[in-house]
Amino acid sequence: MTAGRVRGPSGPKAWAAVIAAAGLSVVAAGLAGPRGVAVARPPASMEFCKIYPTAHVCAASPVINCTTCHTVPPARNLFGEQVSANLAPGVARPLSDADYSAALPAALKAVEALDADGDGVSNLAELIGGSQPELASSRPTSARCTPGQARTAAGGRWNTCGYDPAHAYRKVTLDVCGRSPTRAETEAFRQLLPSESAWRGALADRLDQCLRTPYWLGVNGVLWNLANAKINPVDSIKAGPRAGSIPLADYEWDYNLFAWLNTGDRDVRGLLTGQDFVKRTSDSPPTFEPVPEDGMRALRQAGQTVPRDKRAGMITTRWFTTVNTMFTPIPRTTAAAAYRQYLGLDLARMQGLHPAVSEPADYDSKGVAAPACAVCHSTLDPLTYPFTRYDGIIRNNYNPNRLKNFVRTDGARVVEAPEAGEIFGQKVANLLEWSQVAANSDAFAQKVVWDYWKLMVGREPGPADQTEFTLMWKGLKAPDKFNYRTERMLHALVLTEAYGRP
């Protein structure tokens, strides 16, 4: 029934292995070399985007991957070698994060006119143009038509050099309604083309109609599949209808909540901050409504057991804590999953590193303070502390004294782990504050729009899409634009050249 389901481990022994692994460091990156050897620096990606905010990689995300300067960190690629040679020459290594950040602008400026890969294009042109300055086979490209081509295309059946309303109408009908427009519909729409206001109105009407169809909203519909990567359904532990062999939680409630928050005039930040628990009331047409709090008791096996005032949208559901937290006292997997799935930042790739002072403290004695691990865990562990009071398998509740249950297995210091943490360098008292900071961040808006862009356009935003993509995610945040309503954003997305150009 469910497209995109993932068959997971089944049986107690298989789950025991997964649970044991979850207690270990999940993103320990072997980036620290022997004493005196240069290593990749956590602030690098953030500082790069401060220096080059118009670079393609920075317009689509608040950070860049380490591969801009490295092959496998700490090993540097050709561009990274040039930057390193100009980075505070003569100063003893390793540099502190502060010294590194201070020296990086001059080092990058010094190599802008160089050509690391020898392809005839300067490093700066490649960085701004979205190609890789260390790879000769990667060069900036342009999809722009010449004036002559544009004139010819504008007079043809399909305008391949610009936005084509008829093409966009056909795509909306296919992508959102799940069918091709009839010949009569297509011809009727073409009759409107002399009037921009007329065809825009017809396109908006078609999109609104399609956004209410089972193809878009139904079980196994487009929104359902858009949520797959965030929910990660595993049939073997599914509870409720069509339960698996070890029924622990029912992911269908998560799909309901995701669809509810991405439809109507609802604030999509509820994915991280919402307190509602939503049921599907009809499949034809697809409709949803919140479950009253006094009706929750009957749903406890598969439903929501966290008190309403402790809920943080999709990251405190029974399913999310079951598959991520399990029995882990310091649930690093849970925090890393939330960071990756809802903010688009993968700590395993050293994205979104904001090292906290005096971290990692290693309250559960997992060795995360070792040099090879600390580079990531100084960000990951403070991200994780707000999740430590939320139980995983079986209980799936908020428990302020939860860590007392792990003293025997994880040591006496585990109870010292705080509930307060840090995200994007901002201190937070608990998961509710964590989720507010996350939901209001640029990273959240970029991730929401990136997901829809890839879904609708059929590919990731490229260098030529930089302006349109930036307008989309900034518009999502703007109260006078989309105000975090994804359907408003979709109405603008189908009018972009990236979507409507054949």
Side-chain angles (χ1 to χ4, degrees), residues 37-261:
V37 176
V39 298
R41 305 303 304 180
S45 58
M46 295 177 289
E47 293 301 321
F48 180 94
C49 286
K50 290 178 183 177
I51 299 164
Y52 299 119
T54 60
H56 168 64
V57 290
C58 298
S61 172
V63 295
I64 60 171
N65 288 339
C66 297
T67 51
T68 299
C69 290
H70 297 270
T71 50
V72 178
R76 291 180 290 266
N77 59 36
L78 294 172
F79 176 68
E81 290 288 357
Q82 289 184 339
V83 174
S84 178
N86 289 274
L87 186 70
V91 179
R93 271 30 179 189
L95 298 175
S96 68
D97 286 352
D99 289 343
Y100 178 91
S101 296
L104 187 59
L108 287 168
K109 184 70 175 178
V111 303
E112 285 181 350
L114 303 182
D115 180 9
D117 54 12
D119 62 357
V121 182
S122 71
N123 293 335
L124 180 61
E126 298 221 43
L127 292 171
I128 299 302
S131 56
Q132 298 170 262
E134 81 287 357
L135 189 62
S137 60
S138 175
R139 296 165 61 92
T141 58
S142 174
R144 296 189 181 278
C145 295
T146 65
Q149 290 171 329
R151 286 192 296 271
T152 301
R157 177 73 173 174
W158 301 105
N159 181 5
T160 56
C161 283
Y163 187 86
D164 189 311
H167 176 70
Y169 179 80
R170 181 175 183 274
K171 268 181 63 64
V172 166
T173 309
L174 277 168
D175 296 341
V176 190
C177 271
R179 66 174 180 86
S180 296
T182 64
R183 178 174 294 183
E185 288 174 328
T186 300
E187 291 306 315
F189 183 84
R190 286 188 175 277
Q191 294 299 315
L192 303 175
L193 293 183
S195 170
E196 182 173 344
S197 61
W199 69 252
R200 278 178 176 259
L203 184 63
D205 289 344
R206 173 50 53 91
L207 178 58
D208 281 334
Q209 294 164 8
C210 293
L211 288 172
R212 299 291 170 262
T213 61
Y215 181 80
W216 183 262
L217 267 181
V219 174
N220 277 330
V222 176
L223 277 187
W224 181 288
N225 284 283
L226 183 64
N228 279 340
K230 302 182 191 305
I231 295 171
N232 188 24
V234 182
D235 284 353
S236 59
I237 62 170
K238 185 186 184 300
R242 299 165 300 281
S245 56
I246 310 175
L248 298 175
D250 189 355
Y251 52 68
E252 292 194 32
W253 295 105
D254 294 63
Y255 283 104
N256 293 345
L257 182 58
F258 183 86
W260 162 263
L261 290 167

Side-chain angles (χ1 to χ4, degrees), residues 338-355:
Y339 209 48
R340 181 180 64 254
Q341 294 165 2
Y342 294 97
L343 302 175
L345 301 170
D346 191 340
L347 286 166
R349 297 180 179 179
M350 295 193 73
Q351 297 172 341
L353 292 176
H354 293 261

Side-chain angles (χ1 to χ4, degrees), residues 95 135 283 304 397 480:
L95 298 175
L135 189 62
D283 287 323
Q304 174 63 275
N397 208 334
D480 61 342

